[in-house]
Amino acid sequence: MTTPPQPGDGRLDPSLSAIMSERRQLINLAYRLLGSLADAEDVVQETYARWYAMSRRQQEAIESPGGWLTKVASRVCLDLLGSARARRESYVGEWIPEPLPDRTEWISGRPGGTTADPADRVTLDESINMAFLVVLESMTPAERVAFILHDVFRYSFAEVAEIVGRTPAACRQLASSARRRIRASQACAVPATQRADLVRDFKQAWEAKDIDALIGLLDPDAAAIADGGGLVSAVLHPIEGGEQIARALVDIVSQVPDLTILERTVNGQPGLVSQQDGVTVVVMAFDVAGDRIKQIWAVRNPEKLRPWTSS
């Protein structure tokens, strides 16, 4: 590895550039494993700190720096998942994965505000939507790591075994168990345009305080979960039933008349963002089954909304 350039010498270290180019991949991995962008960034910082704590000779002895960084980040995440489970047992109310900041209007595609450097944003695909992340929360730390590394990032079970500390056969079983959980939770795929139409109709009915229209858009067995983290007022338990959810939603807009509801992309899918005086106070994600909304996740915890409120 070449000597890092000194400030002002005008030279770029190609080795440093190669190492830092792994950052997006590491953020992608850590966010899926932890469900928190803030925690993912902390993991990546810790991973790089361990790399630079090594001597140049130790760094040069590593055949695949990218593989080394992934292995270290995965192990840090595995440790954090164990402690996170204990922390979430004492969490006030329901815990929902942190929604990814995205100010893009999903209808027009026009930017609704400034965005972060694209290289720093998590790639959005099916393994990043809220329904998927919620199922991941039900898995054991080892299941989650084995599944994400193998099924999403295409690492071999031999490589996964080295990270998880189990045999390749055991990791195969872990991933298989995780896969069954995913399949059991998935409804039939709904076309993107149909999903967008449903969320748009929901927004319009909500703004109009039309309870009957909302009930017609919600599955009779729908559930709505709010995450306030004990920092803002929020229903501590899921609201179950389409009619109950519709009435609760109308109560909200009746009590907060200055609420502005915006169409925004939330974890790669059509979602809604509610603002008061230009400040984001709720980010909502949806799961759709057939022609009805089956699940609503409403994140109100201001700590989880910081990336949405910062410019």
Side-chain angles (χ1 to χ4, degrees):
M1 191 170 185
T2 57
T3 303
Q6 297 302 312
D9 68 4
R11 293 185 292 111
L12 293 176
D13 178 1
S15 298
L16 175 60
S17 178
I19 288 296
M20 294 309 294
S21 69
E22 298 289 333
R23 184 178 185 277
R24 174 163 45 185
Q25 172 87 346
L26 297 175
I27 287 285
N28 280 333
L29 172 67
Y31 175 75
R32 285 169 173 83
L33 290 177
L34 300 174
S36 165
L37 188 56
D39 287 348
E41 290 170 342
D42 288 343
V43 166
V44 173
Q45 184 175 349
E46 170 64 19
T47 301
Y48 279 118
R50 294 189 186 187
W51 171 266
Y52 288 111
M54 295 190 295
S55 67
R56 185 171 64 181
R57 178 171 296 181
Q58 289 173 316
Q59 292 171 349
E60 291 175 339
I62 296 173
E63 183 176 348
S64 171
W68 185 92
L69 291 168
T70 297
K71 182 186 299 184
V72 170
S74 298
R75 286 176 174 168
V76 173
C77 287
L78 190 58
D79 291 340
L80 284 176
L81 282 170
S83 60
R85 185 168 294 239
R87 291 200 312 271
R88 286 166 195 172
E89 288 178 355
S90 59
Y91 192 82
V92 178
E94 299 288 332
W95 191 94
I96 300 174
E98 182 181 322
L100 291 174
D102 194 328
R103 296 174 179 84
T104 301
E105 295 180 22
W106 46 263
I107 298 299
S108 66
R110 294 173 300 181
T114 58
T115 57
D117 181 345
D120 293 336
R121 292 178 56 195
V122 178
T123 301
L124 299 175
D125 59 22
E126 282 304 305
S127 71
I128 217 72
N129 69 53
M130 191 62 75
F132 186 93
L133 292 174
V134 168
V135 177
L136 290 180
E137 286 297 316
S138 69
M139 299 179 186
T140 67
E143 278 180 331
R144 189 165 182 167
V145 172
F147 174 74
I148 292 296
L149 285 173
H150 180 266
D151 283 43
V152 178
F153 288 89
R154 303 304 179 189
Y155 280 81
S156 70
F157 283 119
E159 293 170 309
V160 175
E162 190 176 352
I163 292 169
V164 178
R166 305 195 186 189
T167 66
C171 290
R172 187 182 299 275
Q173 289 298 318
L174 287 169
S176 178
S177 173
R179 215 172 289 126
R180 286 194 297 271
R181 291 178 188 254
I182 293 292
R183 283 198 298 264
S185 69
Q186 288 179 329
C188 295
V190 176
T193 54
Q194 181 178 336
R195 183 183 295 270
D197 287 343
L198 268 173
V199 177
R200 183 193 297 115
D201 291 344
F202 175 91
K203 171 182 178 290
Q204 293 172 349
W206 189 16
E207 290 174 324
K209 304 179 187 177
D210 190 335
I211 289 180
D212 290 336
L214 286 169
I215 292 173
L217 294 167
L218 291 161
D219 187 282
D221 296 322
I225 297 175
D227 177 349
L231 301 177
V232 294
S233 61
V235 178
L236 297 182
H237 303 287
I239 301 175
E240 298 181 346
E243 182 175 348
Q244 290 81 353
I245 294 171
R247 295 189 182 282
L249 288 167
V250 170
D251 284 344
I252 290 171
V253 292
S254 298
Q255 295 171 15
V256 190
D258 59 340
L259 199 66
T260 301
I261 305 171
L262 305 172
E263 298 166 350
R264 291 291 182 266
T265 300
V266 179
N267 286 61
Q269 294 185 341
L272 298 176
V273 168
S274 297
Q275 294 184 340
Q276 281 182 281
D277 299 323
V279 177
T280 296
V281 293
V282 183
V283 173
M284 299 175 72
F286 300 84
D287 195 24
V288 172
D291 59 353
R292 300 287 184 93
I293 292 171
K294 181 74 174 177
Q295 185 80 45
I296 301 173
W297 295 279
V299 178
R300 297 204 60 215
N301 185 336
E303 292 184 350
K304 294 184 178 183
L305 297 180
R306 281 177 184 169
W308 292 80
T309 57
S310 60
S311 59

